[in-house]
Structure formats: C-alpha cells, structure tokens
Amino acid sequence: MTSPVELILKKRDGGTHTSEELVALVQGFLAGTIADYQMSAWLMAALIRGLDEAETTALTQAMLHSGKVLGLRSVRAPKIDKHSTGGVGDKISLCLAPLVAACGVVAPLIAGRGLGHTGGTLDKLEAIPGYRVGLEPRAFERVLREVGASIIGQSAAIAPADRRLYALRDVTGTVESTPLIVASILSKKLAAGSDGLVLDVKVGRGAFMPDLRRARALARALVRTARKAGLPTVALITDMSVPIGRTIGNALELREAIEVLHDAGPSDTRELTLVLGVEMLRLAGRAKSSAEARRLLERALADGSAFERFRRMVHAHGGDLRVIDDPDRLPRAKVRVPLLAKRSGVLRSMDPLELAWVSLGLGAGRTRAEHKVDPGAGIELCHAVGERVERGEPLAYLSAAKRSLIDAVKARAELAFELGTRAPGRRRLVLERIAR
Ligand code: URA
C-alpha cells in the first residue's frame, strides 16, 4: 500500500489519485493509520491542487462506503433529501423537512454541524433539550415511517468518514474546495437511501462560493456526480449576500424556524423554504406543476399541519416539546446587548461573513473541533436591507454567555452594517436552477 506521506506528496505535486489510493486514504484515516495531521496536509493539498471528476466520484464512493448505505425499504412514500452548501442564518432544513412531510413527501435528512463560518442544522436542533441527532439506522427508518421527517447526523454507521473529515476541514481552512464539498455532501446523501435530492447551493459573501461562476461549477459537479450515482438531483443557486432571515445562532434560528412553521417569520426565510419545497414535491411527483406544489405547501403552513409534523419529529427524537410550544423557554444567553446605529440612514447591506465570525466569537460556533457551542449565543438583526434606521436605534442584539465576549466582537459587528442614502436594488433570492 502507498504510504500516507506518498499520498500527500502525490497530491501536493499535482498528481492524480487512483480510486484504490482514495479508498486507502479514507480507510487508513478511519483505522488510525493515517493521523489527523497527515489527513489535514492531504486535505490542504487537495484544496489547492483540486481533484478531477473521476477522483471526486471515487472519493465520494469511498466515503459513502465507509459506513452503512440505508435502504429505507419499509418507507413507502417518495423520499426526498435536501442539503445546503452552507450559509449564514440558514435554518431552512428545520422548516422544510416537516413542511414537505405534511405534504406527503418523506424527508430523510442527514445534516451537518457548523462548518467554517457557517452554522449547522445539527447544532440548531441540539438547542432543543433532549433532541437526539444520533439515531441508529433502524430508529431513523421508524421515525421516517411514522412521522415522515427525521433530521440526524452522520454517525459511526452512516458516512463516518465524512463526520471525521468534516470536523477536520472545519478547523484547518480546507472547506472551500468544490470536490471536497461534493464528496462530503453526496457521501451522506447517497447513504441516506433517498429517491431524490434538492440542493441549495449558496453564492455570495456568506457562502463558500463567493461568485456565481464558482457556485455554478459546484452545483453542476454536485448534480452530475449525484446523477451518475443514480440519485436524481436538482440544485438551486440562491443568494447569500446577506444573512437569511433575522437571526444567526442556534436557539435564535430555531425560534425563527418555528415562526415560519406558524405561517409567519421573515419573508426571505419563508420564501426560500417554499421554493425548495416546490422542488422537493416536484421531484417526488407529488405535484404536476410548481404552482400546485406551492399551493400544497402554503396550505400546510396555514393549517398548522407543518408545525404539527415538526412537533412529532422533535418528540420522536426525544426533544422537549415545551420549548417548541413556548419558544421563550429555549436556551438564552446570559448577556444581551444592543448594537446601536451611530448615524441615520437606509440599511444598504449586512455583511454575512463578518456577522458569521461575530456569531462564532459570541460562542454560537466552534473555532476548534472539540469546542462546544453555546445554544443561546448569536445575533438578532433588527432590520431588513432597504429599511430606514435612525441614529441610536438598535441595528442588532448580540447575545453571549459573558459581556467580555460581546465587547471583543462589537467593533467588528458595527462594521458589518452599511448605512447610506439610497436603498439597494431588489434582491433576487434564486439566481439559477441546475438540473443537469
Ligand atoms: N455541507 C457539507 O455537508 N459538507 C461540506 O463540505 C459543505 C457543506
């Protein structure tokens, strides 16, 4: 077998791996014969040198087969998975899984934790006391059968290679690589045993792909690799130039997701949920047209059935329903401080990347793999872009366990808000749809 150092040198020097080498890399890493520091070095080499299409497919398959591939055969309804490439304030999966389940589409979501500057669905769910993200495959299948929606994490059983690589990439500056993102997302998604996949590929300053050209390349690589593996997939490229909705941070985002499930909440969070839901219903064959799919989804929000599915999903995962029924009981940070506008003007932009790092500094994410997140920490945004703000009014509220954490990031947070004289142009939420 090729030694770990030879694999690193090969990629460092721009070589192309065989699929056997990639299997050896993944298996050696899981078995402990390739150390974390060696894998980190290979990941950096792969980020800089890239992987071609065959290597990307081989890495995806090696990661997929590092664990169980679920059949979910006892779940009869169409099963459609959804995944986002990572955003700021992105709580859409929390709203979407129960919403589509209420419309007859099963949502088996294998989600991730915070990655780089972005938040993770699992961290958000764990803000619910008792919620278990680590269901065993049989329990996952039972929840899907009984409730129609379940959101879990990769475990020792499902794509364990991704779980370990994800944690390492998060803290070694090796996230923003198209082939590594493709292999990470698709290894979990292919393991979940779905009939289709809808991807939300983020573009803009708060995304891993800051420009449309790179986001499009990522979307195409994801759709192509998934379809080659037999998974019908559609990707929407969506705007990540401002945070989604009004909250960043785990319990805060959960509260916003609950608002959307009550047929309220910020218009962009709701709209993104609906457009992705339309794609899921269409892929499942549940609606003949996008208009019909949208009608079904809007009805499930309005009649309370989507919220009821969310309750049932949380209950099935052992979560405390009292915080779902009364979000004021969700974990809260000890200190909450307003960030006041130093001048009057129209809010022209809110930098999602700066705000994401601020949120991390407040304790909502990790800067080392072993860190615990603070469920109550984060940012509440008081205005949408385009609104007028008067001097002295709060732009946002910052929450953390200690005042010193807020003081350390306050100046950075102030710089994230741009006030001007004229409102910016209208924001387009969905930029492109990629189906091939
Ligand atoms: N989401 C994932 O699951 N993996 C990535 O690498 C990026 C986003």
Side-chain angles (χ1 to χ4, degrees):
M1 186 203 122
T2 321
S3 75
V5 180
E6 282 174 284
L7 292 172
I8 297 167
L9 293 177
K10 186 166 183 182
K11 196 35 82 184
R12 186 199 66 182
D13 296 339
T16 304
H17 288 303
T18 63
S19 51
E20 290 75 21
E21 284 171 347
L22 291 164
V23 169
L25 183 82
V26 169
Q27 288 186 349
F29 177 54
L30 282 180
T33 53
I34 294 178
D36 279 9
Y37 52 82
Q38 291 174 312
M39 191 47 124
S40 304
W42 182 87
L43 288 168
M44 187 56 85
L47 178 132
I48 292 167
R49 291 296 194 170
L51 303 181
D52 66 18
E53 200 170 317
E55 287 175 298
T56 306
T57 298
L59 180 64
T60 306
Q61 291 293 332
M63 288 166 62
L64 161 67
H65 293 292
S66 68
K68 251 192 160 100
V69 180
L70 307 182
L72 302 182
R73 268 180 281 279
S74 69
V75 184
R76 295 266 180 261
K79 301 172 278 287
I80 307 294
D81 201 345
K82 174 265 173 185
H83 202 78
S84 152
T85 56
V88 179
D90 187 353
K91 65 280 289 175
I92 303 299
S93 292
L94 303 175
C95 315
L96 195 53
L99 173 59
V100 298
C103 298
V105 174
V106 170
L109 267 55
I110 301 185
R113 297 199 176 275
L115 185 65
H117 65 277
T118 67
T121 301
L122 298 182
D123 294 327
K124 294 167 201 181
L125 281 167
E126 282 180 346
I128 305 170
Y131 189 102
R132 284 180 289 118
V133 298
L135 294 191
E136 287 311 313
R138 255 197 298 167
F140 181 50
E141 189 159 346
R142 182 177 47 73
V143 176
L144 291 172
R145 223 173 28 240
E146 291 171 2
V147 180
S150 179
I151 306 178
I152 60 168
Q154 313 98 289
S155 60
I158 301 161
D162 180 56
R163 186 163 71 145
R164 297 248 343 256
L165 285 170
Y166 196 93
L168 210 52
R169 287 169 59 218
D170 186 25
V171 290
T172 56
T174 52
V175 172
E176 295 90 341
S177 146
T178 297
L180 295 181
I181 295 175
V182 170
S184 165
I185 292 180
L186 293 184
S187 59
K188 313 188 259 280
K189 303 288 114 180
L190 293 168
S194 302
D195 305 312
L197 171 62
V198 172
L199 291 164
D200 182 2
V201 176
K202 300 281 182 210
V203 61
R205 237 183 98 71
F208 294 129
M209 298 300 157
D211 61 71
L212 190 55
R213 187 182 58 80
R214 290 183 62 195
R216 195 183 286 134
L218 174 61
R220 289 199 176 131
L222 282 161
V223 171
R224 231 181 6 245
T225 311
R227 287 189 173 257
K228 233 161 77 181
L231 185 65
T233 298
V234 172
L236 296 184
I237 301 181
T238 70
D239 176 62
M240 193 62 257
S241 62
V242 289
I244 300 168
R246 293 290 180 89
T247 51
I248 306 167
N250 301 301
L252 294 170
E253 291 190 41
L254 191 62
R255 175 190 281 268
E256 184 177 314
I258 292 171
E259 284 171 22
V260 170
L261 288 166
H262 280 308
D263 206 18
S267 58
D268 57 344
T269 312
R270 176 185 160 89
E271 183 59 22
L272 205 47
T273 304
L274 287 170
V275 292
L276 290 162
V278 165
E279 296 294 342
M280 291 175 82
L281 262 57
R282 297 228 49 200
L283 209 50
R286 276 279 176 228
K288 289 196 197 67
S289 65
S290 298
E292 184 192 348
R294 195 173 170 110
R295 267 197 306 278
L296 291 172
L297 294 161
E298 284 177 342
R299 196 173 63 199
L301 288 177
D303 68 13
S305 53
F307 176 68
E308 188 48 34
R309 286 292 165 141
F310 184 62
R311 284 185 93 255
R312 285 173 59 197
M313 179 181 87
V314 169
H315 183 65
H317 280 258
D320 184 348
L321 286 181
R322 287 174 301 179
V323 303
I324 305 303
D325 294 336
D326 178 9
D328 282 345
R329 299 173 78 138
L330 279 166
R332 278 171 191 270
K334 285 211 180 67
V335 192
R336 182 172 180 263
V337 172
L339 187 75
L340 304 178
K342 294 212 167 120
R343 47 172 290 208
S344 301
V346 176
L347 186 58
R348 288 191 50 81
S349 70
M350 293 184 276
D351 185 329
L353 187 59
E354 287 303 315
L355 290 172
W357 289 122
V358 166
S359 172
L360 236 75
L362 294 170
R366 296 173 190 77
T367 48
R368 288 177 62 105
E370 67 278 14
H371 279 172
K372 285 225 172 322
V373 301
D374 174 354
I379 307 171
E380 293 155 84
L381 302 165
C382 299
H383 300 276
V385 165
E387 286 179 10
R388 189 167 170 83
V389 184
E390 300 304 328
R391 182 164 173 249
E393 248 190 88
L395 289 163
Y397 286 89
L398 308 181
S399 296
K402 289 189 287 198
R403 177 74 204 213
S404 59
L405 292 174
I406 295 179
D407 290 342
V409 295
K410 210 163 161 219
R412 189 168 189 176
E414 273 163 8
L415 292 176
F417 295 86
E418 186 198 339
L419 290 163
T421 47
R422 272 186 302 132
R426 226 173 100 81
R427 177 181 173 211
R428 269 173 65 212
L429 214 49
V430 179
L431 301 169
E432 275 181 29
R433 178 177 186 275
I434 308 265
R436 273 187 296 130

